Structures are given as structure tokens and as C-alpha cells.
Amino acid sequence: MTKEVTIVGAGWAGLAAAIKATQQGWTVHLIEAAQTGGGRAKSVKHRGELFDNGQHALIGAYHETLSLMKAIGLEPDELFERQGLAWGYASGPPFGLPKDPLPFKTLRSLLMNARYGPLEKLSLLKPVQCWIKQLLMTQTDTTVAQLFHGVSDTLMRDIISPLCLSALNTPLDRASASTFARVLKDAFSNPPDSCSFLFPKKPLSEIFPIRSLEWLKSRGARIELGRRIDSLHDIDVNAPCILAVPAWQAAKLTRDSHPNWSDTADGLTHKAIASVYLKGVAKEAPQGKSTALQSQLICFNEHMELDNCVHPQFGIHLNALKKQSPLGSAALQTANPQHWALIVSVADPFRRQDIIQNAMDLARTQLELQAIELQFCTIEKRATFSCEAHAKRPPTVIAQGLFACGDYVQGPYPSTLEGAVRSGLRAAACLDETHSNAA
Ligand SMILES: Cc1cc2nc3c(=O)[nH]c(=O)nc-3n(C[C@H](O)[C@H](O)[C@H](O)COP(=O)(O)OP(=O)(O)OC[C@H]3O[C@@H](n4cnc5c(N)ncnc54)[C@H](O)[C@@H]3O)c2cc1C
């Protein structure tokens, strides 16, 4: 029996499946509708400049993604800027864990944080207690808001909401507590590395998709870009197939042949993310006044718990990622022009102008920029599936010889690059099981 597999979709899930299948000795035929790989996590050209199709960040706990990069010869330390788990606010002291957050040091740093009063600090014990409870209750799920009931509003807005929105892209009153607890568990499994942020230093396409396609080609994979599959009949029926397309596309392709699986995939709802890229000139701030510009990641915490939002909740200072600059970090903070990406998680995709206007206003009033220029705004309507408590996700196996992978397929992670990569690896593992059963 020859080991040939067709993989439809060259997003991060499809690429992971293709790499793993190749390593397992399969000959891969990869079909992708777009002219480039990467799916939702790639770079796009706008007026001659490259921007990411939405600003992405990883965390150190994304082990499968980082290992896969290494497996094809990439060096994550050259691709990402690693930053401690920290962010600033437009006003007041920043939030941050120390560089070596062993449990005692973490607790000490939180207790020393000037942002919170004594009662609020005491209520910090509650999330820890709730989190342990959720990890023990593996069979049940609840919402993140219910899980953290009783925690002070300030702590919810300053710490829990930013973590939940950035990881699950779902409002707290609907977000799955068990998925959130799982991400936190992994993030704190091996501090400080596991909980650090990894910000891309290069365009996203250069970080993984382009190199993966080259790696696959050099190992005999047949890659067809610019070919859309509209029906399963268009695929070689003699070879197993992995559908690595988004949930709604997979649901469409399987509607007639596998209606139950299709209904589950179709039942997921999706949320939009808006990313506004802009640049401006930093105002000369009186010494010690501006706290915002001293952090690479800014959390606009007054807009944390909104659904269908038009206000950015996060700002990422992109200058600090431009490694080619010989300037030290202090000089970078005041370098001109300043480049920022302002992000609206759970955005209202139909209010583009409001989103842009609010981003420009925030850049002026809170980031203290002037002469602000909009560079690029991208709103991905179905950026991530809504990771709600009790959300039913479809399994990897659709039928004999037909598998699915993607960030929405059953798994421990929310809609993230790590979730996509893990599902791709799982689908490739299923291929081998099918093959050994048939042999
Ligand atoms: C704006 C934005 C910000 C994000 N931020 C983060 C972040 O900070 N951290 C993080 O971890 N994750 C983030 N994500 C989520 C992450 O990008 C996704 O989870 C991940 O890219 C999904 O990969 P995938 O392979 O499952 O799906 P996709 O990327 O959607 O890939 C599917 C591929 O299938 C192709 N395709 C579709 N239909 C067909 C067809 N009929 N025939 C052939 N090919 C087809 C598509 O063109 C695409 O290339 C963000 C997403 C967005 C949009």
C-alpha cells in the first residue's frame, strides 16, 4: 500500500499535518486555495509594505509550534522577541511578573504591586483557588466569569480580562473556564519561559509558512497553490485525506457525505479581530509622566469586557521588535516615528471607521503620539471560533480515511496557532493508525 495523502488547506494546521506526515514517510499532495500558505496567520502586502494579517503573539508554552519550527531548521530565538509576562496601562503602574517567577517570587511581586490595595491583593487568592478547582473538575465546564466570581472588578479588568481576551478571544461571561484553566496551567508549567510572550520579529509568512512550503517541496511534496476544492469528489478517493480548511469550509465540504460531523463544525460561532497599524511621532513627555510608552504591550483596560467592540483593548509597540535598530531599548521608546498595532478583540466587523477613529484617538490621548498616520487596518470577520463553555467541537476523524485539522477541531487549546499545529499533528498521527490497521 502506497503512503499518499491529500491535504486540503495550507494554514498552520495543514502545514503542520503535511510536515508530520512527511516525517512519517507519507507522500503529501497539498492543495491550497490562496496563492500563498499561512491562512489566517500570514503577511499581506499593502501599498508596497508588508503587514501581518492581524498582529499575532505566541507564548512560551506553545511547545508543539516551537518544536515544529525547530524540526524544519528554524530557530525560534531568531524569529521572536521574548518578553516577560508584563503589560502597561495608559495610567498607573504596570502589571508584570518578575523575570524568574517561581511561585514565591510571583506572589511577592503581586503583593508588592503598587496598583492594588490590600483587599484587592487578598482577593488575588481567589483566582488561584478557582483555577485549581477548575483543573480538578475536568468533566464540567463553566464560564470564566463564573469561575472568578468574587474577584475584585479592578483585578478582573486589569489581569483576568486581558488574559482571557487575548487567549480565548471570547468575552468572560461566555468563555470556557476549562480551556482557560488549561492555557494558564501550560503557561505556568515551566516559568519564566512558558509564560513569556513571543512577538514576531519578522513578517508572519517568513516565520513559518514560506519555510514550511520550501521544506515540503524539497522532500517531494506536490504543492498546488491557487486551487480551491469545492467538493470531496474533486479529491483523489484512493488516498486518505486531511481537511485543513476552516470550520465553515469543512462543514460545507462534508454536508452531504457526513452530515453529523458537518453540523457540529457548522454549529461553532466565530469572532472578529481588528488590527489597526499606525505610526506617529512621540511627544516629549515630562520625565516620569508617560507610563504607557515604557511597555511594549499596553492594555487599554477600560474596554476589557465588551462584546462587538469598537475600542482597541491592546496596543503592541512594534519599534521594540525591529531588531535591526542599533539603539538600546530606552532610546527605542522615544525613537521616531513610533509604530504600533492596536487590536480590537471580539470586534464589531461592520464598524471599520469607528474602530480606526478610536484607535487614532487612543494613539493621541494615551500613547501620546502626534502626526498620527493610519498605515493599514485589517478586520478578519471569522478570526477565531468563539471558545464558549460547553462549545461542541468536531473530532479529528470524520470517517474512514477522512480527517480534519484546524484550530476549531476538538483539543485542549482555543483558536490559536498552537491549537492549529496540535490538531495538524494529531491528524497526521491518525493517518499512521489507519495505515497500520489496513496493512
Ligand atoms: C487577526 C488575528 C489575530 C490572531 N492572533 C493570534 C495570536 O496572537 N496568537 C495565536 O496563537 N493565534 C492568533 N490568531 C488565531 C490563528 O491565526 C489561527 O488560530 C490559525 O491561524 C488557524 O490556522 P488553521 O490552519 O486552523 O486555519 P486557516 O489559517 O484558516 O487555514 C485554512 C487554509 O485553508 C485554505 N482553504 C479554505 N478553503 C479551502 C478550499 N475549499 N480549498 C483549498 N483551500 C482552502 C485557506 O485559504 C487557508 O489557507 C489570530 C487570528 C487572527 C485572524
Side-chain angles (χ1 to χ4, degrees):
M1 188 175 167
T2 54
K3 286 178 63 167
E4 281 175 18
V5 56
T6 306
I7 299 177
V8 184
W12 287 48
L15 291 169
I19 292 167
K20 186 74 183 162
T22 305
Q23 288 172 330
Q24 293 167 185
W26 292 78
T27 302
V28 169
H29 178 196
L30 181 60
I31 304 172
E32 164 59 50
Q35 295 297 338
T36 53
R40 276 167 276 165
K42 67 180 171 198
S43 322
V44 287
K45 222 174 205 163
H46 177 72
R47 296 187 183 152
E49 254 190 271
L50 270 188
F51 294 92
D52 289 342
N53 176 42
Q55 190 59 41
H56 280 63
L58 283 72
I59 56 168
Y62 285 6
H63 292 301
E64 300 296 351
T65 308
L66 299 172
S67 303
L68 192 68
M69 286 175 174
K70 286 186 186 156
I72 60 167
L74 295 167
E75 187 34 72
D77 284 344
E78 286 168 15
L79 304 172
F80 298 102
E81 180 76 27
R82 207 178 260 274
Q83 305 272 321
L85 186 73
W87 53 79
Y89 304 95
S91 61
F95 167 79
L97 298 186
K99 279 215 170 75
D100 50 351
L102 299 170
F104 177 70
K105 289 185 178 169
T106 303
L107 191 65
R108 194 185 60 176
S109 93
L110 288 171
L111 291 177
M112 304 274 287
N113 196 313
R115 222 180 147 75
Y116 309 110
L119 283 178
E120 279 172 332
K121 284 173 184 165
L122 260 186
S123 90
L124 275 170
L125 294 174
K126 176 92 181 180
V128 176
Q129 197 190 354
C130 297
W131 175 32
I132 293 169
K133 198 168 79 189
Q134 183 63 42
L135 286 174
L136 295 174
M137 299 188 310
T138 46
Q139 296 309 311
T140 53
D141 201 359
T142 177
T143 65
V144 172
Q146 281 165 342
L147 182 67
F148 288 97
H149 179 71
V151 173
S152 87
D153 287 351
T154 317
L155 287 170
M156 288 303 282
R157 207 188 54 204
D158 282 4
I159 303 175
I160 308 299
S161 294
L163 284 172
C164 179
L165 270 188
S166 57
L168 271 64
N169 207 43
T170 306
L172 267 72
D173 57 354
R174 269 170 284 151
S176 159
S178 61
T179 308
F180 186 54
R182 170 58 195 255
V183 175
L184 288 185
K185 174 176 168 275
D186 287 359
F188 288 95
S189 62
N190 185 23
D193 281 356
S194 55
C195 61
S196 56
F197 284 120
L198 272 62
F199 294 108
K201 283 198 286 201
K202 297 185 174 186
L204 267 181
S205 290
E206 286 176 30
I207 285 200
F208 182 62
I210 293 177
R211 188 61 176 271
S212 314
L213 290 175
E214 285 168 3
W215 188 94
L216 288 165
K217 240 183 246 169
S218 70
R219 279 154 185 82
R222 184 150 68 94
I223 295 167
E224 281 188 89
L225 298 175
R227 180 175 169 211
R228 171 172 292 279
I229 296 297
D230 289 316
S231 154
L232 288 183
H233 299 300
D234 298 343
I235 301 168
D236 177 5
V237 286
N238 297 313
C241 173
I242 297 177
L243 293 181
V245 297
W248 58 95
Q249 279 288 327
K252 200 170 125 196
L253 288 171
T254 53
R255 190 158 295 143
D256 296 336
S257 53
H258 309 290
N260 289 341
W261 192 95
S262 170
D263 284 349
T264 310
D266 221 11
L268 293 169
T269 53
H270 295 82
K271 298 286 178 201
I273 300 180
S275 307
V276 182
Y277 291 86
L278 47 81
K279 68 176 176 183
V281 177
K283 277 187 219 160
E284 284 284 324
Q287 219 177 5
K289 181 184 174 281
S290 168
T291 54
L293 288 182
Q294 282 154 30
S295 299
Q296 172 156 3
L297 178 63
I298 301 291
C299 171
F300 302 111
N301 50 353
E302 67 271 37
H303 299 301
M304 271 302 148
E305 290 174 51
L306 303 180
D307 201 351
N308 276 338
C309 197
V310 288
H311 294 276
Q313 288 116 357
F314 301 100
I316 298 177
H317 188 192
L318 301 176
N319 286 52
L321 306 177
K322 299 197 175 196
K323 287 306 274 185
Q324 56 273 43
S325 169
L327 300 173
S329 64
L332 276 170
Q333 303 297 349
T334 50
N336 281 321
Q338 301 244 342
H339 292 259
W340 284 84
L342 270 59
I343 296 154
V344 188
S345 301
V346 200
D348 183 338
F350 303 105
R351 293 178 61 191
R352 186 186 183 83
Q353 276 319 314
D354 291 335
I355 287 171
I356 293 174
Q357 190 54 53
N358 288 330
M360 305 280 274
D361 288 348
L362 276 180
R364 188 170 41 78
T365 56
Q366 304 208 2
L367 302 179
E368 299 171 353
L369 300 182
Q370 52 197 4
I372 301 161
E373 269 177 51
L374 172 70
Q375 295 189 286
F376 179 54
C377 170
T378 167
I379 304 180
E380 186 74 42
K381 284 200 183 114
R382 291 190 276 196
T384 64
F385 77 87
S386 188
C387 190
E388 299 179 8
H390 310 296
K392 205 167 162 221
R393 293 160 69 171
T396 303
V397 179
I398 303 175
Q400 175 76 20
L402 182 62
F403 309 97
C405 66
D407 59 356
Y408 68 95
V409 171
Q410 272 175 18
Y413 264 67
S415 206
T416 51
L417 296 173
E418 178 75 357
V421 166
R422 281 174 182 239
S423 80
L425 301 179
R426 240 183 354 264
C430 288
L431 279 179
D432 265 6
E433 284 160 27
T434 310
H435 185 71
S436 53
N437 290 344

